[in-house]
Amino acid sequence: MIKTATKILLLAIATSFSFLLFSPPPKSFYYSLYISPALSDNVSVSQHLQTLTRRPHVAGSEANAEAAAYVLSVLTSCNIKSHIASYAVSLTYPVSRSLSLTRPFPDPPITFSLRQEIYDGDPFADVAVQVLPTFHGYGKSGTATGPVVYVNYGRVEDYVTLEEMGVNVSGSVVLARYGEIYRGDIVHNAFEAGAIGALIYTDRKDYGGGSGDARWFPDDKWMPPSGVQVGSVYDGVGDPTTPGWASTEGCERISNEEVEKTGDVPLIPSLPISSQDGHTIMRSIEGQVANQDWQGDKDAPIYRTGPGPGVVNLSYKGEHVIATIQNVIGVIIGEEEPDRFVILGNHRDAWTFGAVDPNSGTAALLEVTQRLEKMQKRGWKPRRTILLCNWDAEEYGLIGSTELVEENREMLASRVVAYLNVDSAVHGAGFQASATPQLDELLKQATLQVQDPDNSSQTIYESWVGSRNSPVIGRLGGRGSDYAAFVQHIGIPAVDMSFGKGPHPVYHSMYDDFVWMEKFGDLLFQRHVAVASVWGLVALRLADEEFLPFNYLSYACELQKSAEDLEDEVSGKGISLNPLFKSIEELTKAATKINDEKKAINKAKGWASIWKKDHSKVRELNDRLMMAERAFTDRDGLFGRTWYKHLIYAPSKHNNYGSRSFPGIQDAVEEANNLKTAESWLTVQHEVWRVSRAVNHVSLVLNGELT
């Protein structure tokens, strides 16, 4: 009996030493390898970007299909199982447009060319004709003739200012400048104020340097005077004709007339115009001098509000087309948990050449892909499945990613660990990131490991923090990129990251080309390499670590701050936030408890765990961490905006780019402030209860026990 026991013990020891001798390197070895110079390749990144941006490639075009084929070829050359997921979606393209200005006598009328000028020596001059005429995606076809009213950024508060000044907007064509809110909201707000048309120009103060310096691209990074920021004015998400379901071949669709009734597309015509055309129109406006913060740069004319006496005639005709879009999907199957997904996503379609937006991100995605292939050759295998997704038709309204999410909603909701987004990877120096809060610590740890591409003496984290105590991490409530469907519709933890502070100077114009990137965005393509390093490192840790690196204490802290801000906003209105504060307190306890559980499982592991780990305990705990974010969603969604299910993060009602915590509460507060009735404030209280219940549900998921 003793001999038998001794044999078993010796066999166990031998097995354990054999395991140690022949086991693969620890995952941390591969993390260091991934970010090492041996695997990164700035030359390859540059080549990818040059290939992707050799001609304009708007969604639905042959050029964009060719770009999809290129992405697919790189994935398959890296021995990654890949495919194209196609959807048939409603897109719009310009057929004709015109703009003329009638000025007071003796000035003659002007007809604008609406053309972005080719600069001397432009290497893309031969394909510039393929750039679509300047227009707004999903813009309303029609004609509008009326006096011009200048409305600053076209925000709700700007119309309040005009009303206080006694300026009548009704029956006018508004002139607004880009810079503060989403262009679709600019047009919507104009309609609500009684305008019959909208012109949106790129103000030099925001996109042209604003210093009076006359240099612009190609001599400097700033938007040329003829540059125009095009883009979508659609206020929804996904294909407008398939609201809430996927746009598969032969699917149910609503008509264009029904789309208009949803309120998600404009009901007045609009056009984007250049700064030089905007200033020409501005000079025809008289009336009161606009406030100082409404003025342009020092070389701009004096901005007045109008109306008129300048009168514009705006005409636009577009066509609706059911076009094929193509998402490219690559899959690296997980070895231990193939049914758990970590998704990296970037879109491919561009309004013009897209060197910054979005193909700097596409080039970074391909760099990540090639590094992962090199690691596989060195023995790395992910614990969980990694999906590499290159979306289509993002520019029109996040369509490619949304259609895939809507088609695979239940599978994704049950299997996705996190979604990691990079849209425009680089437009300058300075790392920026946004995330759902449980991923804050992971982001910080990843940036601590990667060298700052602009300062070799410090890490990205150190430059990101600067003189502050901690980095500023944004939140994902805006509808600015492809994370929206993942976070706001089904409740998946997510990250979005990039390099570049402030607005991208040649955003959505024909000057967003490879020359601009090579001269002003990233001369040596080291920022692209750095984005790929952080992006991939975050993905590796989510895919490989035994315990998911989530910390819900960060979430509880963030919710506490937001609740305190809300408390100031509703003070004296008879609203009790006690349910909300109590639910956040319970979330703090649940987050602490699950962190302690992780520590306890790790502590309990001894020599025996080398060959027999308690996988079921780890898996069950990870499932709670993964599913907790889903509990922030509500099946009924936000009032009047039911596609948005997340009760913590969703776009601001009047700015799709803007992000506010507790969007349902904020919408109700805004309505109550307008109506000033007791009943409207009861609705605010109801929304507080809804959020409180959602936070309590998160705590229950983290605790993993029935009540």
Side-chain angles (χ1 to χ4, degrees), residues 99 173-177 197-201 270-273 281 312 314:
L99 180 66
V173 175
V174 302
L175 178 65
R177 54 181 176 174
L199 299 169
I200 311 178
Y201 77 102
S270 64
L271 282 176
I273 61 174
I281 295 171
V312 297
L314 176 168

Side-chain angles (χ1 to χ4, degrees), residues 575 668 671-672 675-686:
I575 301 298
E671 186 76 3
L675 296 177
K676 296 180 172 60
T677 63
E679 186 178 356
S680 63
W681 285 105
L682 287 176
T683 301
V684 174
Q685 187 66 68
H686 169 67

Side-chain angles (χ1 to χ4, degrees), residues 47-256:
Q47 291 170 345
H48 288 317
L49 187 64
Q50 193 164 25
T51 301
L52 288 162
T53 61
R54 62 187 176 187
R55 62 179 178 141
H57 49 286
V58 72
S61 68
E62 178 187 343
N64 201 38
E66 289 178 4
Y70 177 75
V71 171
L72 183 68
S73 71
V74 175
L75 292 176
T76 53
S77 70
C78 292
N79 297 310
I80 291 173
K81 182 181 176 183
S82 307
H83 69 278
I84 286 179
S86 298
Y87 295 95
V89 303
S90 176
L91 303 178
T92 69
Y93 302 102
V95 174
S96 64
R97 77 263 196 276
S98 64
L99 180 66
S100 61
L101 170 66
T102 301
R103 300 179 290 181
F105 183 83
D107 294 327
I110 296 175
T111 298
F112 297 98
S113 69
L114 302 179
R115 186 174 62 248
Q116 301 184 82
E117 296 172 5
I118 298 171
Y119 60 88
D120 291 340
D122 184 354
F124 301 103
D126 59 328
V127 292
V129 68
Q130 297 175 26
V131 174
L132 288 178
T134 52
F135 80 116
H136 282 146
Y138 301 112
K140 171 75 171 174
S141 293
T143 299
T145 302
V148 187
V149 172
Y150 170 55
V151 297
N152 195 24
Y153 293 109
R155 300 166 295 186
V156 171
E157 55 264 41
D158 293 327
Y159 286 99
V160 171
T161 298
L162 288 170
E163 186 177 6
E164 291 171 349
M165 294 172 69
V167 177
N168 182 17
V169 177
S170 183
S172 71
V173 175
V174 302
L175 178 65
R177 54 181 176 174
Y178 284 114
E180 291 294 327
I181 64 173
Y182 172 60
R183 71 189 71 79
D185 291 311
I186 294 175
V187 181
H188 177 79
N189 293 343
F191 171 76
E192 290 292 321
I196 59 172
L199 299 169
I200 311 178
Y201 77 102
T202 305
D203 197 300
R204 183 178 168 82
K205 183 177 180 180
D206 298 299
Y207 293 92
S211 63
D213 187 348
R215 290 165 58 85
W216 53 75
F217 184 71
D219 299 317
D220 207 335
K221 68 180 181 178
W222 304 110
M223 181 81 91
S226 70
V228 178
Q229 180 192 136
V230 301
S232 178
V233 287
Y234 173 45
D235 277 336
V237 181
D239 183 347
T241 65
T242 61
W245 63 90
S247 296
T248 53
E249 196 70 42
C251 70
E252 175 190 7
R253 293 184 188 277
I254 65 174
S255 67
N256 292 328

Side-chain angles (χ1 to χ4, degrees), residues 290-317:
N291 296 338
Q292 186 58 43
D293 58 344
W294 286 38
Q295 296 296 324
D297 72 341
K298 67 178 185 180
D299 294 329
I302 294 173
Y303 291 3
R304 298 177 182 271
T305 59
V311 172
V312 297
N313 181 278
L314 176 168
S315 179
Y316 172 73
K317 181 181 179 182

